[in-house]
Amino acid sequence: MNWTIFKAALTLRRISLAWYSVGLIAYGWMIIAFFPLIAKNPAYTELAQEMFSEEMLAAFGGAGLQLTTLGGFLGIEYLSLMWVLIVGAAVIIFAAGQLAGAVEDGTMEVTLSQPVSRVKVALTRYLAMMAYAVALCLVTTLSLYVTGFIHGVDVPVDSMLLLFFVSLLLALAMGGLAFAISAMTTGGGRTIGVSFGVIVAMYLADLLGNLNSDYAWLSKMSLFHYWEPHRVIDDLEVASATWLVFGIASAAFFAVGMYAFQKRDVV
Amino acid sequence: MSETVIRCEGLTKYYGKSRGIEDLTFEVRPGQVYGFLGPNGAGKTTTIRCLLSMLRPTGGKAYLFDQEVGVDGQELRRRIGYVAGDVSLFEKQTGQWMIDYISGLRGGPGSSTRELCERLQFDPRRKVKELSKGNKQKLALVIALMHDPDLLILDEPTSGLDPLNQQVVFDIIEERTTAGATLFLSSHILSEVERVCERVAIIRAGTVVAEESVETLLTRALRTVVVTFTEPVTDAMIQGIPGTTSVERVGEYGLTATIASDIDGAVRAIMQKPIKDIQIEHATLEAVFLQYYGHIEGEVGQ
């Protein structure tokens, strides 16, 4: 790793990190503040159950999801969709800028004309993306815990700790995808477009699989099939397939990105 | 000490089906001031990017300090200062941030950073995006030169600079080369190549079409002889001058001849008749360049 490149990569994105963090804190706080109303008020619960049909609950979080549990509520209202959008956007945009974006704006030429190897540049920029993801996942879990404390909602520490690790692996899988595409393409915009396209396709595949059992196989090909935040929070449970799929995806995307960047022309 | 600082052997780079450079062969020796001349799109920047391992050559080999490029490019680049033709910097950061960034990558601050900033009258406190093209060029020169590299690869280094700063840059370059650094200067500004380089390669359509010392190249080049005789010019006089590519009468007593070769024979033939005045214009590098490019299309600067 090269400390100068690592520091520079994060320094250049510190403002966007601050804004994403503000978004995560604000949204998480809003959901946590709203949770006691749902959990403790039967009228709200009934209304919410009417608004979210069984199919819709299944589509967005899997069967057996309960709005009245903290995990179920956070899963439906925040972690299954909005969190994925915010953190997905953050890590994809960050990763896109690290290789393809830097090649496009010419700063990669400045860096690679110095005594530093391509392996070190790519590895360091991946590690910077990792640090960025760690920061976002920390902000997510810490803000849920702190705002839970403020609003008298019992947010278990061990659930948040487990949520941090699982969400980090998902963030790394999404960021890793963008990193791999970034290593192969020219232009940050193109990387972002292709990465979002793949992420949206995976999200829709999961949705379709959840709605129609005929397409369950399609769902299993999606990263989001294995993203079950309600189980993590309520049951302190993570399926071994989740660790495996997220872990393999992160490692594979990283390896592809590293290899592709060694082979490409940097112009 | 290395026998050659830069050596290209049949270096070829294709972008898909489009040719960048083809079968490029030349070498630059230690301490040499080498000009790489060609119009935009001829392949100068492609060559430099292959040397710096930014482009993977399609064929052939490139060596820096007698080591093949790509094997240990990282350590080789420690000895190189590079100014890109199209300077790109971290726009939102200050010049000082850029200087610190490069210093960090090189393991420490450059020994001549302050001196370069002072001589180029560059204020590193300003953000890059607020700098004019000329000031961005100064920053690029500072970060390329501040670690006193053994090899300077400069792609259009005076682009955007006013004449005073161009002078300062050439003074600095001359000091560095006098101190033993090697200069590889890519340019389409013929006057600056002629001014500083001792040897040049002319690149056309991705291939080196001439590679010689500037002196030899100029010696072999076209010369213009303007003569005024004391008696009227006759056809026999015109036909008697050897090695001409064109001869024009100037009034009744004068002629202008362009001599491609055998200047000695041409002058002797002219001197057969009594002359009132004679002028022999030495060819400029620009004229040489146009000899190679004159009949082909292409954008030729200045």
Side-chain angles (χ1 to χ4, degrees):
Chain A
M1 187 181 104
N2 184 293
W3 178 243
T4 302
I5 295 173
F6 184 80
K7 205 169 65 175
L10 289 173
T11 304
L12 293 169
R13 299 284 175 171
R14 65 190 188 283
I15 306 291
S16 67
L17 178 62
W19 279 114
Y20 283 118
S21 299
V22 167
L24 287 170
I25 292 168
Y27 204 87
W29 195 343
M30 183 180 77
I31 298 303
I32 284 285
F34 197 53
F35 176 66
L37 292 175
I38 286 286
K40 292 173 187 170
N41 192 325
Y44 276 117
T45 311
E46 279 171 27
L47 183 66
Q49 296 289 11
E50 278 172 23
M51 283 169 62
F52 295 96
S53 65
E54 195 68 28
E55 289 78 14
M56 190 175 271
L57 287 173
F60 283 99
L65 200 69
Q66 294 292 320
L67 265 176
T68 48
T69 65
L70 179 66
F73 188 72
L74 283 176
I76 276 287
E77 297 289 353
Y78 179 33
L79 298 170
S80 286
L81 181 60
M82 194 50 80
W83 182 87
V84 169
L85 284 176
I86 297 173
V87 173
V91 292
I92 285 172
I93 292 169
F94 186 92
Q98 293 312 301
L99 301 179
V103 170
E104 185 180 32
D105 68 21
T107 53
M108 185 59 81
E109 187 173 15
V110 177
T111 302
L112 285 180
S113 64
Q114 304 306 319
V116 59
S117 70
R118 282 197 194 197
V119 174
K120 209 173 258 188
V121 170
L123 175 67
T124 304
R125 287 176 177 239
Y126 182 85
L127 290 174
M129 188 272 286
M130 198 181 237
Y132 195 74
V134 165
L136 292 170
C137 294
L138 260 181
V139 166
T140 303
T141 47
L142 271 176
S143 64
L144 288 177
Y145 181 78
V146 171
T147 55
F149 180 77
I150 293 168
H151 291 278
V153 176
D154 181 28
V155 180
V157 176
D158 43 4
S159 293
M160 287 301 106
L161 198 61
L162 191 57
L163 181 68
F164 167 75
F165 285 113
V166 185
S167 63
L168 177 60
L169 264 188
L170 175 61
L172 289 181
M174 292 190 288
L177 170 74
F179 178 78
I181 294 169
S182 183
M184 291 183 264
T185 54
T186 303
R190 188 178 297 174
T191 302
I192 292 168
V194 174
S195 304
F196 268 120
V198 175
I199 293 291
V200 168
M202 280 201 282
Y203 200 87
L204 292 177
D206 183 45
L207 209 64
L208 190 63
N210 286 340
L211 285 169
N212 188 334
S213 57
D214 290 345
Y215 295 103
W217 61 272
L218 201 59
S219 173
K220 285 179 183 167
M221 294 173 71
S222 163
L223 281 175
F224 304 109
H225 175 75
Y226 306 92
W227 173 232
E228 300 172 305
H230 59 286
R231 279 181 69 184
V232 177
I233 297 169
D234 289 341
D235 309 328
L236 207 61
E237 199 176 276
V238 180
S240 47
T242 301
W243 293 118
L244 206 65
V245 170
F246 287 0
I248 288 174
S250 302
F253 290 141
F254 167 69
V256 168
M258 290 295 291
Y259 178 77
F261 191 65
Q262 306 317 304
K263 296 290 172 192
R264 71 170 293 172
D265 285 339
V266 183
V267 283
Chain B
M1 192 174 175
S2 313
E3 284 192 11
T4 60
V5 176
I6 298 174
R7 192 165 89 245
C8 293
E9 292 176 356
L11 194 65
T12 301
K13 175 65 187 176
Y14 271 80
Y15 300 99
K17 286 183 179 175
S18 142
R19 175 200 42 72
I21 50 174
E22 190 159 28
D23 199 23
L24 216 66
T25 299
F26 66 91
E27 62 178 43
V28 181
R29 297 196 166 274
Q32 213 164 42
V33 181
Y34 196 93
F36 202 49
L37 207 56
N40 298 334
K44 303 187 301 291
T45 302
T46 297
T47 308
I48 289 173
R49 284 175 169 164
C50 285
L51 288 171
L52 294 170
S53 310
M54 284 169 208
L55 293 177
R56 302 297 190 201
T58 315
K61 285 181 176 169
Y63 299 86
L64 288 173
F65 301 103
D66 294 332
Q67 286 184 55
E68 192 176 344
V69 168
V71 176
D72 188 14
Q74 180 181 351
E75 281 312 303
L76 291 175
R77 288 195 295 272
R78 191 174 294 285
R79 301 175 67 182
I80 299 171
Y82 169 54
V83 173
D86 183 16
V87 172
S88 298
L89 304 159
F90 291 92
E91 291 288 320
K92 292 179 183 170
Q93 305 304 312
T94 62
Q96 188 58 52
W97 187 94
M98 274 300 311
I99 290 168
D100 293 341
Y101 178 72
I102 300 300
S103 298
L105 294 177
R106 287 189 171 260
S111 54
S112 50
T113 312
R114 180 179 282 186
E115 181 211 329
L116 286 165
C117 287
E118 282 173 3
R119 289 181 70 178
L120 288 165
Q121 295 178 306
F122 173 70
D123 178 4
R125 291 169 299 181
R126 290 175 63 194
K127 283 195 173 179
V128 172
K129 66 181 176 187
E130 294 166 0
L131 299 176
S132 64
K133 187 177 187 307
N135 275 318
K136 283 182 186 173
Q137 193 70 19
K138 289 179 187 175
L139 176 56
L141 284 159
V142 169
I143 60 179
L145 299 169
M146 66 187 184
H147 285 88
D148 303 325
D150 296 329
L151 169 61
L152 301 171
I153 297 181
L154 309 181
D155 195 352
E156 315 288 357
T158 56
S159 172
L161 295 180
D162 59 54
L164 286 175
N165 278 303
Q166 284 184 15
Q167 180 61 46
V168 174
V169 170
F170 282 121
D171 288 347
I172 293 169
I173 288 172
E174 276 165 9
E175 286 165 23
R176 295 298 172 94
T177 52
T178 305
T182 305
L183 170 65
F184 185 76
L185 174 66
S186 165
S187 181
H188 64 259
I189 302 173
L190 305 166
S191 55
E192 73 181 27
V193 173
E194 188 174 358
R195 175 179 167 182
V196 297
C197 296
E198 57 198 60
R199 196 169 180 83
V200 292
I202 295 179
I203 182 169
R204 188 180 97 180
T207 309
V208 172
V209 289
E211 202 247 352
E212 294 188 76
S213 71
V214 172
E215 198 182 348
T216 308
L217 211 58
L218 294 178
T219 307
R220 285 190 193 169
L222 299 172
R223 288 149 196 265
T224 306
V225 180
V226 182
V227 196
T228 307
F229 295 94
T230 53
E231 56 187 65
V233 176
T234 62
D235 288 345
M237 287 166 69
I238 290 174
Q239 286 158 9
I241 306 171
T244 57
T245 57
S246 68
V247 183
E248 281 177 32
R249 285 173 195 269
V250 181
E252 195 180 348
Y253 294 93
L255 64 81
T256 301
T258 307
I259 316 291
S261 59
D262 192 18
I263 185 74
D264 182 55
V267 172
R268 284 178 193 279
I270 289 167
M271 299 287 278
Q272 297 293 314
K273 298 286 177 186
I275 59 171
K276 190 176 174 187
D277 190 18
I278 183 166
Q279 275 183 305
I280 302 173
E281 290 175 6
H282 287 267
T284 61
L285 196 54
E286 185 165 351
V288 177
F289 186 77
L290 289 171
Q291 241 181 293
Y292 288 99
Y293 276 96
H295 59 286
I296 60 162
E297 293 175 16
E299 184 189 341
V300 182
Q302 296 203 10

